[in-house]
């Protein structure tokens, strides 16, 4: 029997990978993942067998990993960011439930909440939550409930999957829900193409955010009541008292 690593590759470039992730990829014979993610690794690992599946083929991807591991190969299932944060770790473990002879190791990576925060400054310096606006697997009513709860709790919010071709209005709708509770002046930020070509950051207010263009490679940050702009960076104080 072989082995499966479920690897969080971080934001995209090799410098953003953990040493543990790079080691897992180096010892694997086969790399399997969504086409976009495998393309990011193609030049770095030309000697590996690279297998891809398209969007919405996650279960097939996990089964492909099992097939390769059952043939005795060491496999890495590639995820962007962290394997456990909207990644493939949970699904891989579920699909492999009836294949206990296959060893599966989850390899942590740097999720966009962290890499995007570093790009913007320090917006997650205190309590924060992560919410995906994708309603492919989560009912829209549940997403809206979580947004209202996060606003009521004064959490910094990190928004994943703010928009796609089929969900062009989701970020606007989320902002409208938050504006029921939060002021339009609340500081926000957008981190685009983190660790990839076209990387960019932008600060704005919550009122301005609802009209911003944010695709699936954009991570959105919404500050709490203490978040502020400091020399062009988004900062949420950790809470230390300082003499002025």
């Amino acid at each position: 029997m072989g082995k499966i690593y479920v690897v969080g590759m971080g934001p995209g470039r090799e410098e953003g990978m953990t040493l543990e992730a790079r080691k897992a990829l180096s010892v694997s014979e086969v790399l399997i993942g969504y086409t976009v993610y495998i393309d990011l690794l193609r030049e770095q690992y030309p000697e590996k067998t690279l297998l891809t599946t398209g969007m919405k083929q996650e279960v097939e991807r996990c089964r492909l990993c099992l097939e390769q591991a059952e043939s005795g190969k060491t496999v890495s299932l590639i995820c962007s960011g962290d394997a456990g944060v909207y990644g493939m770790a949970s699904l891989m473990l579920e699909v492999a439930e009836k294949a206990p002879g296959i060893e599966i190791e989850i390899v942590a990576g740097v999720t966009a909440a962290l890499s995007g925060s570093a790009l913007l400054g320090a917006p997650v310096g205190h309590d924060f939550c992560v919410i995906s606006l994708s309603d492919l697997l989560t009912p829209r009513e549940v997403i809206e409930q979580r947004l209202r709860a996060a606003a009521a709790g004064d959490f910094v919010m990190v928004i994943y999957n703010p928009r796609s071709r089929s969900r062009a209005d989701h970020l606007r709708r989320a902002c409208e829900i938050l504006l029921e509770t939060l002021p339009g002046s609340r500081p926000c930020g957008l981190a685009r193409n983190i660790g990839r070509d076209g990387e960019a950051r932008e600060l704005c207010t919550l009122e301005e955010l609802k009209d911003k263009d944010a695709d699936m490679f954009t991570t959105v940050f919404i500050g709490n009541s203490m978040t502020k702009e400091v020399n062009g960076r988004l900062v949420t104080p950790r809470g230390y008292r300082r003499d002025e």
Side-chain angles (χ1 to χ4, degrees):
M1 289 289 187
K3 178 175 180 176
I4 298 172
Y5 293 97
V6 189
V7 181
M9 61 180 282
R13 60 189 174 210
E14 190 173 15
E15 295 89 341
M17 290 186 198
T18 66
L19 293 176
E20 186 179 13
R22 292 170 67 178
K23 180 179 178 181
L25 296 181
S26 69
V27 300
S28 294
E29 301 160 82
V30 184
L31 308 184
I32 297 174
Y34 174 47
T35 305
V36 172
Y37 305 150
I38 292 296
D39 285 345
L40 290 170
L41 298 173
R42 195 173 297 277
E43 291 186 4
Q44 299 172 39
Y45 299 97
E47 76 284 4
K48 309 292 184 182
T49 298
L50 305 176
L51 303 176
T52 67
T53 65
M55 186 72 76
K56 300 182 183 180
Q57 295 180 346
E58 290 84 359
V59 174
E60 290 80 359
R61 210 174 299 155
C62 292
R63 289 174 178 161
L64 184 58
C65 288
L66 281 178
E67 291 173 5
Q68 294 291 316
E70 286 170 347
S71 71
K73 295 178 180 177
T74 301
V75 182
S76 278
L77 175 57
I78 308 301
C79 309
S80 67
D82 176 74
V85 180
Y86 306 122
M88 296 289 290
S90 58
L91 183 59
M92 187 68 252
L93 292 171
E94 288 179 312
V95 171
E97 183 178 5
K98 296 182 180 179
I102 300 293
E103 182 182 358
I104 299 175
E105 182 175 338
I106 313 301
V107 180
V110 181
T111 186
L114 305 180
S115 54
S117 175
L119 181 62
L120 288 167
V124 296
H126 208 282
D127 296 342
F128 70 97
C129 66
V130 177
I131 299 174
S132 171
L133 298 189
S134 172
D135 58 0
L136 291 175
L137 300 175
T138 305
R140 193 163 183 169
E141 296 76 17
V142 174
I143 296 171
E144 294 184 356
Q145 180 184 18
R146 290 171 178 170
L147 288 167
R148 289 189 172 96
D154 196 27
F155 283 93
V156 173
M157 286 169 258
V158 184
I159 305 297
Y160 283 53
N161 305 315
R163 183 178 179 178
S164 72
R165 284 192 295 264
S166 62
R167 301 188 304 278
D169 68 332
H170 274 26
L171 181 58
R172 169 178 281 275
R173 174 58 182 156
C175 291
E176 290 171 348
I177 290 170
L178 296 176
L179 286 166
E180 296 170 2
T181 305
L182 306 180
S185 59
R186 181 61 55 88
C188 299
L190 299 95
R192 296 187 173 93
N193 297 309
I194 305 164
R196 305 175 189 178
D197 292 340
E199 179 181 85
R201 68 185 185 208
E202 180 181 2
L203 303 189
C204 63
T205 65
L206 180 57
E207 182 65 37
E208 293 168 337
L209 179 62
K210 70 177 189 292
D211 296 316
K212 293 294 182 180
D213 182 24
D215 61 17
M216 296 296 281
F217 295 103
T218 301
T219 307
V220 176
F221 292 75
I222 299 168
N224 69 11
S225 60
M226 298 298 291
T227 304
K228 57 188 176 181
E229 182 179 340
V230 178
N231 294 329
R233 310 299 288 276
L234 197 62
V235 177
T236 301
R238 190 175 171 189
Y240 294 117
R241 294 189 178 186
R242 301 180 302 277
D243 294 331
E244 298 296 337

